[in-house]
Amino acid sequence: MAEAEIRTRASDPPHLEVLYELGAAEHALRAAVEARLPAPMSFSHFEVLRDFLRFGDGAAPAEIATRLRMTRGAVTHLLQRMEALGWIRLAGDDRDGRRKQVFLTPEGAGMARAAAAALRPGTDRLKTDLNDNYLREGLAFLRDLRRSLASLSAAGGPGGSPPGSR
């Protein structure tokens, strides 16, 4: 499928063009990843497995939700599905019996490795197409943009009022 060009108008301000491009980049990333994942893995499964590969297992579902910027309910549902697939196991926290901890099973670790292997050609191409220095230069902008957008969300949007305060 050919890349769809983002249509903008000459009068579009740069901040809107950036937001359009970010949306298109997020869509392209999700589509590229989903097309290469081993069945029956979804993009959401991949995000959880990638989190385990980066930070290790043993985290509480709430920690995973925070890191993945997902609701606790969505993570709970996702973890239930992954447990049914045999990729993770949920266990009580020995230090705090009210909490759960999430552990990767050998089958889940295998799925994580299979996903990483399936995605490696694409990530290698990304490193070739966009060299490390170019990517590092863009990181500062992306981090600042993320912080700015997060502060808008925390403040309740462009008006600055927290949700429900109007």
Side-chain angles (χ1 to χ4, degrees):
M1 186 164 98
E3 177 187 351
E5 184 166 329
I6 302 300
R7 292 187 63 197
T8 59
R9 299 174 305 169
S11 61
D12 282 344
H15 70 282
L16 290 182
E17 288 189 60
V18 166
L19 295 176
Y20 293 139
E21 288 293 340
L22 282 173
E26 191 274 336
H27 180 78
L29 171 65
R30 184 176 285 269
V33 169
E34 286 176 339
R36 289 162 179 81
L37 291 176
M41 189 182 296
S42 70
F43 187 82
S44 297
H45 294 140
F46 169 72
E47 287 184 302
V48 172
L49 293 174
R50 183 189 63 199
D51 185 75
F52 290 149
L53 292 176
R54 289 185 72 201
F55 299 107
D57 61 3
E63 294 172 68
I64 295 168
T66 298
R67 285 198 299 252
L68 297 180
R69 293 171 181 80
M70 296 172 73
T71 66
R72 287 183 184 191
V75 167
T76 297
H77 180 71
L78 182 58
L79 293 176
Q80 289 170 345
R81 291 189 344 233
M82 292 177 75
E83 187 176 36
L85 289 166
W87 297 349
I88 62 159
R89 77 177 166 82
L90 294 167
D93 186 333
D94 292 338
R95 294 168 301 191
D96 182 350
R98 298 168 295 177
R99 289 178 33 152
K100 296 273 187 200
Q101 288 180 288
V102 184
F103 296 95
L104 200 56
T105 65
E107 186 175 337
M111 288 300 290
R113 285 190 300 275
L119 296 173
R120 192 161 295 115
T123 57
D124 288 348
R125 180 174 168 202
L126 181 65
K127 290 189 302 188
T128 301
D129 290 351
L130 307 170
N131 70 54
D132 286 349
N133 290 333
Y134 186 67
L135 292 168
R136 282 188 191 99
E137 289 171 9
L139 276 175
F141 166 75
L142 290 172
R143 286 181 177 133
D144 288 345
L145 179 62
R146 177 182 43 83
R147 288 180 189 117
S148 179
L149 292 172
S151 71
L152 281 176
S153 174
S161 301
S165 66
R166 292 183 189 157

